[in-house]
């Protein structure tokens, strides 16, 4: 297996919008920098949590340009390149490779259903062959609850065989631990990241590379402590704390909830804006969420108070 | 209800690709002209059958430019404007309106799931408000088997109330006659097109405007006879003949099968090409399909032989 540059807690970064509904590059750059300062092992900008598919390709590329201009290290970036057309996917991948990004996170084509493994293979391999760069590192993005189309275990093996130097990892957002476990068992050395920190400790114990998780937007420190201490005696207790926060978040629509938390703790109400078809939390939901977090002793960017002693 | 320009048999036009995989504008223009000559009441270019979501927005806009330049009447065109982002959807709608197209066929945003009716309403109304043209006519595109996200009966009513002059119709590709019937009953005067000719006669008897159907690519004449004769004594027999061909097609993946038929009858093998994630029929499927059609007496562009006597 080739070396791959990502380990630890990767964050699918929230995308802030201005009051007129445009991506807010200034807030985005600042937030990315803050996440890296918190210890994020990489930034999966333009993932599902980023509302990437509510942005055009050119909006995504303009934001990536701004990150690079601002000095965010390209090797820490794993932009999502989700698109239904090979044409657009190849443009997004080419753009990321051109900036020297550490990798790309690639959805399968997600409009047509059902599609065959052969059809998905033709799509992804067509994109890889078109970009034709030895610098390209592809992480397959498996998220069937949203995309409905996914990468089967066998299909992952076909990619590893055909593109050993290029297809180096996978984000498993199936929510199905048995799938993550099977990937780790069948493809040792292939970088598997569960899509939730709930599975982080279990994944690390089977050779996983870390996790790529929405809640990383508000809890890099808490999740990172699991990663740092997974061989130690506190591992299960640290995992339980991280899981407790995740479960609290999951009581709400995830992206609006995360944005509400950032807005609340940064005292910046505009951060709560989402793009349709998502909607912001209403006032009652917002208050309930903040109250739920208070019960857990949560403060953005710090260790939960319950762990501070 | 406002007047709306589309009636009869509308065709979601197949998109031909060159051997290098690019949209083939020359073949596309010729095919659109042929469909209108066959009696198509309108061309829903860039629908699901068109592999529109396997093309980038700029590829779709370039093809529409070529149709207009070639003299295809804009008022016969109902381009699909499916996109997950409001940004791209608004660009596609603006482009179609700028060309004077008779209408647009608008998918709901189809990446995120689940989404609320309020979220879909915010997306579509945001696009309409951004384009802000009195010339715009929107046909909602309801195809939950593919898009997974759809327009509920109540949501359709909200659009009719809020945008009476703009949201004038709907293509119902749910495959669920009870939904089509409910739309026709609840919203008289609203232009409802079932997404399959199987429901054409039933829809016309309840005030439907026609149908928008994939099989129109190879059978405008047969379907049009149902439309022309729906009040006459032959109506049920004509519907049965059209339905028999549709059922034969449905035994195969629809888009590759339709392209194979066009390739066969036009003696033009390149027409069979599809873009991943779709795959062409293999040789055995192709031969079986052509044999099935022969049993029905089918010849492209002519009345089935069984009806010729």
């Amino acid at each position: 297996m080739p070396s791959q540059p990502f380990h630890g807690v990767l964050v699918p970064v929230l995308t802030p919008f201005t009051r007129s509904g445009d991506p807010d590059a200034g807030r985005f750059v600042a937030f990315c920098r803050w996440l890296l300062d918190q210890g994020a092992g990489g930034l999966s900008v333009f993932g599902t949590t980023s509302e990437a598919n509510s942005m055009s390709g050119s909006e995504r590329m303009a934001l990536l340009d701004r990150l690079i201009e601002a000095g965010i290290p390209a090797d820490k970036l794993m932009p999502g390149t989700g698109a239904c057309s090979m044409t657009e996917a190849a443009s997004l991948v080419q753009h990321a490779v051109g900036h020297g990004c550490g990798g790309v996170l690639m959805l399968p084509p997600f409009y047509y259903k059902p599609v065959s493994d052969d059809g998905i293979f033709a799509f992804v391999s067509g994109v890889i062959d078109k970009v034709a760069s030895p610098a390209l590192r592809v992480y397959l993005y498996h998220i069937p609850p949203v995309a409905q189309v996914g990468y089967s275990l066998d299909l992952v093996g076909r990619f590893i065989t055909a593109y050993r130097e290029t297809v180096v990892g996978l984000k498993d957002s199936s929510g199905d631990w048995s799938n993550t476990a099977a990937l780790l068992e069948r493809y040792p050395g292939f970088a598997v990241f569960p899509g939730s920190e709930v599975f982080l400790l279990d994944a690390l114990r089977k050779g996983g590379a870390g996790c790529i998780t929405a809640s990383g937007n508000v809890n890099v420190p808490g999740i990172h402590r699991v990663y740092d201490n997974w061989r130690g005696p506190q591992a299960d207790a640290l995992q339980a704390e991280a899981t407790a926060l995740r479960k609290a978040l999951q009581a709400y629509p995830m992206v609006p909830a995360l944005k509400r938390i950032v807005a609340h703790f940064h005292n910046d109400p505009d951060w709560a804006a989402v793009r349709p078809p998502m909607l912001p939390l209403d006032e009652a939901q917002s208050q309930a969420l903040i109250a739920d977090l208070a019960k857990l002793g949560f403060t953005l960017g710090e260790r939960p108070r319950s762990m501070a002693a």
Side-chain angles (χ1 to χ4, degrees), chain A:
Chain A
M1 288 287 168
S3 65
Q4 69 83 25
F6 294 102
H7 302 276
V9 183
L10 277 67
V11 183
V13 184
L14 295 167
T15 306
F17 295 104
T18 64
R19 288 186 186 188
S20 58
D22 295 315
D24 185 334
R27 275 189 176 84
F28 186 58
V29 168
F31 192 65
C32 283
R33 192 172 283 132
W34 179 78
L35 287 169
L36 290 174
D37 289 346
Q38 294 273 308
L43 302 179
S44 297
V45 295
F46 318 139
T48 298
T49 304
S50 317
E51 300 173 80
N53 289 305
S54 297
M55 293 190 280
S56 68
S58 50
E59 286 177 318
R60 286 181 250 174
M61 289 192 275
L63 281 178
L64 182 58
D65 290 342
R66 289 290 294 273
L67 289 184
I68 299 294
E69 286 163 23
I72 301 292
D75 63 355
K76 293 288 187 194
L77 295 172
M78 184 198 288
T81 55
C84 295
S85 72
M86 291 173 63
T87 329
E88 190 171 9
S91 294
L92 293 166
V93 172
Q94 184 63 63
H95 182 255
V97 170
H99 274 309
C101 291
V104 300
L105 188 59
M106 197 182 292
L107 280 172
F110 55 83
Y111 181 69
Y112 290 100
K113 293 122 193 157
V115 289
S116 64
D117 277 7
D118 286 345
I120 300 171
F121 187 84
F123 183 102
V124 172
S125 62
V127 171
I128 292 172
D129 295 346
K130 185 165 179 185
V131 173
S133 167
L136 174 61
R137 295 288 176 274
V138 171
Y139 297 80
L140 304 173
Y141 188 8
H142 180 60
I143 182 169
V146 179
Q148 305 289 320
V149 176
Y151 296 104
S152 70
L153 285 171
D154 286 345
L155 181 55
V156 172
R158 283 178 66 185
F159 282 116
I160 293 172
T161 301
Y163 295 99
R164 179 163 290 268
E165 302 298 320
T166 304
V167 179
V168 298
L170 179 143
K171 176 182 180 187
D172 185 0
S173 295
S174 65
D176 173 7
W177 167 249
S178 70
N179 189 66
T180 311
L183 285 163
L184 288 163
E185 285 159 18
R186 282 176 65 166
Y187 308 118
F190 186 67
V192 175
F193 298 86
S196 166
E197 71 273 27
V198 166
F199 304 117
L200 176 57
L201 185 56
D202 288 336
L204 292 169
R205 286 172 173 163
K206 291 180 84 74
C211 63
I212 306 176
T213 178
S215 27
N217 280 284
V218 299
N219 191 30
V220 168
I223 303 166
H224 210 284
R225 284 173 59 85
V226 180
Y227 181 74
D228 284 338
N229 297 285
W230 72 272
R231 293 172 195 271
Q234 281 197 295
D236 287 292
L238 292 167
Q239 176 67 63
E241 295 218 39
T243 296
L245 178 62
R246 173 75 181 203
K247 298 287 186 193
L249 295 172
Q250 287 179 178
Y252 302 87
M254 181 62 79
V255 175
L258 293 169
K259 286 187 148 180
R260 167 57 60 186
I261 293 168
V262 175
H264 176 84
F265 283 96
H266 287 193
N267 198 24
D268 182 356
D270 289 352
W271 243 107
V274 294
R275 261 194 180 176
M278 290 192 192
L279 296 171
L281 298 192
D282 63 27
E283 196 50 41
Q285 285 176 308
S286 299
Q287 291 186 11
L289 168 65
I290 299 303
D292 287 350
L293 296 182
K295 281 180 217 153
L296 291 172
F298 174 84
T299 303
L300 187 64
E302 294 184 11
R303 287 176 62 190
R305 232 171 288 154
S306 61
M307 291 168 45

